[in-house]
Amino acid sequence: LVTYTSTDDCGNSSTVTMNVTVIDEAIPVAVCKKDLAIAMDDDGIVTANASLFDDGSFDNCSIQKIEVRRGNDPYSSSLTFTCNDISNQPVNVELRVFDTSNLSNTCSVKVFVSDPVSPVVTCPADITLSCIANANDLSIAGQASATDNCSVPTITFVDTKNLNSCNQGTITRKWRAIDKYNNFTECSQKITLQDQTPLNITWPSDYATNVCGAVVSPDKTGTPSFTNNDCEQLDVNYTDQVFNTAPPACYKIVRKWVVRNWCVYNPNI
């Protein structure tokens, strides 16, 4: 409301009042970030407020509201991105700004969504198996498991073996879980292979014959027999000591058997 008063030289005056309306016809300037990178969270979902896409929009008076949308979707104060948005192609987002006069303007942002989150892998527990067990049988040795925020991980393993010729020792199994975006996590499992059944030896019994000059080779007089020789590498030898004068026998043989298990044999002991 504006009032004008006019006065002449004689002091006479008159007054008139008028309404003046100030109008803002200048639209705001929408300024968007050129490109925007958004990384997935552990739960595979990210919510971004509209202000994240703004790069300094301004107005001659003031900015009242900022909102965004993708495609032809309704405008909103935020956008939600999921693993389904991960692509070599950007997601096109439109930013709209309003000033206090409800004048608006828009700009566009290219949003690139990525997944930097590695899978979570859980190794099977360390385990001790028999040396005759098949360590590649995962139903025996155990299977790793893994989860990921965006995909079902692929699980593989590589073995580093420290085994002797009797298949005894350790295997270090490195498990790897990798997702579709080549993020991976590793863990290790130790598999110990042992001889869990001690070797038992049954020695041949003493042998006697009343036939001088009879065959006395081991296939006649007997040889050592073994049980639990599952992992062993056995070397069986014998030496004979012959006594030609051993009445009332024609002669006597003292046969000494030697059984070596090369898996544990130490010539220095």
Side-chain angles (χ1 to χ4, degrees):
L1 183 65
V2 177
T3 300
Y4 290 94
T5 301
S6 177
T7 304
D8 62 15
D9 292 339
C10 296
N12 302 306
S13 66
S14 63
T15 300
V16 62
T17 300
M18 61 184 299
N19 291 321
V20 178
T21 302
V22 179
I23 300 175
D24 175 17
E25 296 182 338
I27 62 175
V29 178
V31 182
C32 284
K33 292 178 179 176
K34 182 179 179 181
D35 296 324
L36 183 62
I38 290 181
M40 283 294 102
D41 287 341
D42 290 345
D43 57 359
I45 188 170
V46 173
T47 298
N49 292 327
S51 58
L52 183 66
F53 305 89
D54 182 63
D55 199 26
S57 299
F58 60 92
D59 183 66
N60 61 331
C61 292
S62 64
I63 297 295
Q64 183 181 37
K65 182 173 67 173
I66 300 176
E67 55 189 13
V68 285
R69 71 175 180 178
R70 62 166 74 195
N72 293 319
D73 292 348
Y75 284 100
S76 174
S77 60
S78 64
L79 288 179
T80 297
F81 297 89
T82 69
C83 297
N84 294 329
D85 293 311
I86 300 173
S87 170
N88 291 328
Q89 299 299 318
V91 177
N92 293 316
V93 172
E94 184 175 86
L95 176 79
R96 183 166 68 174
V97 297
F98 288 87
D99 65 10
T100 53
S101 298
N102 210 35
L103 300 173
S104 66
N105 204 350
T106 62
C107 59
S108 296
V109 186
K110 293 184 182 297
V111 179
F112 293 87
V113 184
S114 64
D115 173 28
V117 179
S118 296
V120 177
V121 62
T122 302
C123 262
D126 294 345
I127 192 170
T128 298
L129 301 174
S130 168
C131 50
I132 61 172
N134 180 8
N136 289 324
D137 186 345
L138 302 185
S139 66
I140 299 174
Q143 168 72 57
S145 61
T147 58
D148 186 61
N149 62 334
C150 282
S151 64
V152 177
T154 299
I155 300 175
T156 59
F157 67 84
V158 175
D159 285 345
T160 301
K161 296 182 178 180
N162 183 22
L163 301 173
N164 61 19
S165 59
C166 301
N167 203 43
Q168 298 177 45
T170 60
I171 299 173
T172 299
R173 178 161 291 171
K174 180 179 287 186
W175 292 90
R176 171 179 287 193
I178 185 169
D179 66 17
K180 65 186 294 185
Y181 306 110
N182 292 322
N183 303 305
F184 66 87
T185 306
E186 295 178 332
C187 64
S188 293
Q189 175 196 18
K190 183 178 180 181
I191 302 171
T192 302
L193 299 180
Q194 294 179 346
D195 183 1
Q196 298 177 332
T197 53
L199 178 68
N200 291 323
I201 304 174
T202 301
W203 303 101
S205 302
D206 292 344
Y207 177 82
T209 180
N210 56 11
V211 179
C212 288
V215 175
V216 290
S217 59
D219 57 348
K220 181 69 175 178
T221 63
T223 59
S225 61
F226 309 97
T227 57
N228 298 335
N229 56 329
D230 42 11
C231 301
E232 287 74 11
Q233 289 185 352
L234 301 181
D235 175 31
V236 181
N237 288 291
Y238 68 91
T239 58
D240 285 346
Q241 186 177 7
V242 180
F243 297 88
N244 291 314
T245 302
C250 300
Y251 59 90
K252 182 183 289 186
I253 299 173
V254 176
R255 179 162 291 164
K256 180 180 180 180
W257 290 95
V258 177
V259 177
R260 292 184 179 89
N261 180 3
W262 294 111
C263 298
V264 295
Y265 177 67
N266 184 344
N268 296 319
I269 297 179

